[in-house]
Amino acid sequence: MTEVNIWKKFFCTLFGAMFFLCATTIFFNVFVDAYGIYFLPHKVGLNYFPCKSKNTERLCKPLHFAEKNPSVIFLGNSKADFSLDGEFFAELTGREKNSVYNLAVQNCQIYESRKFLEYALKLNPDLQKVILALDFEMFMEGIDFIPGFDTARLETRHITRKDFFETALSFDALKANIFSLQQNFIHGYDYKFFTPEGKFTEKNLEGIFRFEDSFMKNSRNVMMMSRYNAVLPEKKFDELREIKKICAEKNIELQAVILPVHVSHLRSYLFDRGTFENWLRQTVEIIPVTSFLDCPEISDINPDLPLDENIYFWDSAHVKKIVGDKVLSQLAGREKNFGRTITPENVDEHLQKIWGNVKNFAEKNPAAMKKLNYVGTLSEEPPYIGNFAETNLPVEIKNAGVGNFPDGKILRAEGIIELDAERILSAYLLVTDSAGKKFYTMTNRMTIQPEVMAAETFFDADKQMHYNFLGETFFDLPPGEYDLKILFLTKTGELFTTPTLKKVFSQ
């Protein structure tokens, strides 16, 4: 055998082995389908539960939508994603079962809603109705869309080449599918993250929220992690105008709605009361909105009920299906005395009722408010022993300042810091007045967790080194100007602070 034939045989064997390996990997990844995007048969205990689809809605939902081409869609963020049931609305309005689809996604921005609407029209030019669930956070400055959103997916009804390689032929996909296969085999999951109509399933939501001890703990965490900023970019309202224009030109019925939240969540809006009020006023100048923010029969429910006894809320920001069904019934003309259409003529009256409900709740529920105020008080006594050094860790401030609540003032600091959170034992607010006097939070009143947006990235979210910090505390500081810092205590006993983050003012 000549040397040429030997090398030819070697390369043929090599390429054959590589082809076989790639083909086997693709078959395994597509069959197990950890991302829930390949429409093959699924068997309980094997590949029924797509373990990775929870954080890849922006990949899954366009493909699932393309399989159905419904005539009615829901748009919005997690509030709509968790509560609005397309199958129920189809039955309510006498439509076919698969004619309604929930295209809402977690952390959705108004820009994304507009792009999803255009995508739906591209696939189904005969789209008849859009229910747009609007939310304050969809209009905030600094976020146009969440990582994981790819407009290329909205140019085709099929999976993109990039997504195919990442979900079928990458090492990360192989790891994800091995993990998914293990989880299916061990737990025998008999449900998926989404219903065929795009809504998060009830079992999935129970799994998301069951780790909390009570509604109150959920309520406080959601309130503390809200990402409110003091600017409402005009381009966000331009997106809403564009949605209205598209629907008018295509003769599509558009219903805008603001879903209910618990009074304790409305209370968190008081920190940016002026911004929230401006948002609502500007919104109703563009389009009438059916608002459910003034529904005390729901929003005043005891927030200290265990999760399985709270029939209306998963946490302070997210209502359960029973409330979503009442909202859809009202929009279909079947439910009376629930919700109200808000226009420029009655928006101020509506806002006064919202704040009145918050004040009444605080007065009637002192025990609940005490739990909400768990974040504590400031003290002149430091909560540590030893000196600390100032560092130059990169810090991005999202929000800092003093807010007035019905039950006191609150000092708040929120942002992103680049650090190794595994080193941190605790973190505190550190406030210094103009004379150099220092005030501290006495216990661990800071939350530190992986940056929220990173959880939406396609792979390797656990490798991100950017972490949210947020601290807030009720206090009784005299009027004046204060410097605000964050103090960190490491597990090895080191103490350090950020540089001064922002000057805050107490009136």
Side-chain angles (χ1 to χ4, degrees), residues 174-194:
L174 184 61
K175 290 192 299 182
N177 281 287
I178 291 173
F179 172 78
S180 188
L181 188 65
Q182 291 172 334
Q183 294 301 304
N184 274 273
F185 178 76
I186 293 170
H187 299 288
Y189 293 118
D190 60 353
Y191 69 95
K192 298 179 184 292
F193 280 118
F194 308 105

Side-chain angles (χ1 to χ4, degrees), residues 5 134 267 450 496:
N5 289 335
L134 298 172
R267 172 179 170 275
F496 60 91

Side-chain angles (χ1 to χ4, degrees), residues 334-379:
R334 301 289 189 90
E335 183 83 27
K336 304 297 183 184
N337 302 318
F338 184 62
R340 183 180 183 186
T341 300
I342 307 301
T343 65
E345 288 70 36
N346 64 0
V347 64
D348 288 332
E349 177 189 353
H350 184 56
L351 285 166
Q352 288 303 313
K353 287 186 176 181
I354 290 173
W355 306 136
N357 290 341
V358 174
K359 183 177 180 181
N360 291 337
F361 178 82
E363 292 173 351
K364 292 187 301 182
N365 298 275
M369 301 314 295
K370 184 177 181 181
K371 289 186 178 182
L372 280 174
N373 296 355
Y374 167 82
V375 284
T377 57
L378 291 176
S379 170

Side-chain angles (χ1 to χ4, degrees), residues 377-495:
T377 57
L378 291 176
S379 170
E380 297 178 38
E381 296 296 324
Y384 58 86
I385 299 174
N387 298 317
F388 55 82
E390 194 167 279
T391 71
N392 291 312
L393 291 171
V395 178
E396 178 186 353
I397 299 302
K398 295 289 185 182
N399 202 343
V402 175
N404 294 306
F405 284 72
D407 46 332
K409 293 180 180 179
I410 192 168
L411 178 65
R412 181 185 180 101
E414 177 186 5
I416 297 174
I417 187 167
E418 194 172 322
L419 52 77
D420 180 3
E422 293 298 317
R423 294 174 51 205
I424 304 303
L425 179 64
S426 55
Y428 310 88
L429 290 172
L430 170 59
V431 181
T432 308
D433 67 14
S434 56
K437 191 173 183 179
K438 291 181 170 59
F439 301 87
Y440 309 85
T441 52
M442 283 301 294
T443 55
N444 186 5
R445 306 306 189 191
M446 292 285 293
T447 63
I448 301 179
Q449 65 178 33
E451 209 280 311
V452 171
M453 291 170 58
E456 292 293 332
T457 56
F458 207 49
F459 294 114
D460 294 332
D462 58 332
K463 297 180 181 178
Q464 300 293 325
M465 293 302 293
H466 293 81
Y467 289 83
N468 278 320
F469 67 83
L470 181 136
E472 55 186 10
T473 186
F474 281 81
F475 69 100
D476 188 23
L477 284 176
E481 179 179 308
Y482 299 87
D483 289 335
L484 180 64
K485 298 183 180 183
I486 309 299
L487 169 66
F488 296 100
L489 175 63
T490 69
K491 293 178 180 178
T492 57
E494 302 169 287
L495 290 158

